[in-house]
Amino acid sequence: MKPTGSDYETAALLAKDLGVALEIVEVTGPNRVPFLVSNRADVVISTFSITPERQKVIDFSVPYASAVQFVAAPKSVQLNGQDDLAGKRVGVTRGTTGDTVLSKLAIPGIEIVRFDDESTNMTAFASGQVDIVVQEPAVITRVAAQNPAKEIEQKFVIAEFDVGIGLRKDDDALKAYLDNWVRTNLQNGELNRIYEKFQRAPLSEKILSAGE
């Protein structure tokens, strides 16, 4: 019953290097920006994709990872690309990049079913409330292992975005520190070690080159 995952270990490393105690503030997809701007969190490290919409309200560090959103479904469901989602019910976590991308696609008859958090989305998928889900690969892999009878497969990538540490606008000193911290820990391999530990794959060359 302790926090774990690549973002948690990234946050723990940042707190250690800052010389401060780590205080975890639980967030959902939709409330990450409100928690920052209302001072309920100092930074957000939560698979926080860097998008133009969010950059109008908050700032981000240079990217420390990338977020991939897959479409997943049981083996029996034939899905080769986004056009195959026509007329289907698809579960997604509200306010995530997966939700944003899915909402912008002109797919006839698609029914997007939004859940307030990742666990509710995946529980609905595992229990058959929706047959198709959009989620990051590590979560899909875990749920597939827990539900082998469903024969869950990752079908195709629907979105990939750079991920940064979110912070409030105009905090120039903190942004400078975070940018330098990310670059340093990309160069020394720490961020890649953490990512690979949980995602079972290294950071992309695009992200690693940001540390050069």
Side-chain angles (χ1 to χ4, degrees):
M1 299 301 292
K2 293 182 178 180
T4 187
S6 57
D7 277 340
Y8 171 76
E9 289 206 4
T10 299
L13 179 63
L14 175 60
K16 174 177 172 290
D17 290 345
L18 278 168
V20 299
L22 176 62
E23 179 184 352
I24 297 295
V25 179
E26 293 188 14
V27 295
T28 62
N31 70 22
R32 287 175 293 185
V33 170
F35 268 49
L36 267 180
V37 298
S38 63
N39 293 314
R40 282 178 282 180
D42 295 311
V43 297
V44 171
I45 303 176
S46 180
T47 321
F48 211 5
S49 300
I50 302 169
T51 65
E53 293 83 0
R54 288 171 179 162
Q55 287 177 306
K56 294 175 183 176
V57 184
I58 63 169
D59 276 337
F60 286 92
S61 70
V62 295
Y64 70 90
S66 60
V68 179
Q69 295 276 305
F70 269 89
V71 171
K75 186 176 181 180
S76 59
V77 179
Q78 297 300 310
L79 298 172
N80 298 310
Q82 65 185 50
D83 291 344
D84 294 329
L85 298 177
K88 303 289 199 305
R89 277 181 102 233
V90 183
V92 67
T93 305
R94 190 188 310 276
T96 60
T97 49
D99 183 11
T100 301
V101 170
L102 203 60
S103 301
K104 290 180 178 178
L105 296 178
I107 302 174
I110 189 172
E111 181 184 353
I112 303 172
V113 185
R114 295 176 175 86
F115 298 94
D116 286 335
D117 55 61
E118 181 183 279
S119 60
T120 307
N121 184 27
M122 296 309 291
T123 298
F125 176 53
S127 64
Q129 294 178 50
V130 292
D131 291 325
I132 303 168
V133 74
V134 172
Q135 192 56 261
E136 62 186 57
V139 176
I140 295 168
T141 299
R142 184 174 71 245
V143 173
Q146 294 168 346
N147 300 271
K150 289 188 71 69
E151 297 186 299
I152 295 168
E153 294 181 336
Q154 296 177 24
K155 301 294 188 177
F156 60 90
V157 173
I158 198 167
E160 183 171 5
F161 289 91
D162 291 346
V163 170
I165 301 172
L167 68 154
R168 284 182 286 279
K169 286 279 190 186
D170 302 320
D171 196 340
D172 296 336
L174 180 57
K175 177 166 172 49
Y177 179 90
L178 292 174
D179 286 347
N180 182 66
W181 182 85
V182 169
R183 291 188 179 104
T184 297
N185 284 281
L186 286 172
Q187 289 174 356
N188 66 24
E190 277 297 292
L191 288 172
N192 189 58
R193 178 190 62 78
I194 291 170
Y195 187 87
E196 197 164 18
K197 175 181 176 181
F198 292 96
Q199 308 300 330
R200 303 292 189 266
L203 289 167
S204 69
E205 286 300 321
K206 176 186 175 185
I207 298 298
L208 290 172
S209 66
E212 296 176 356

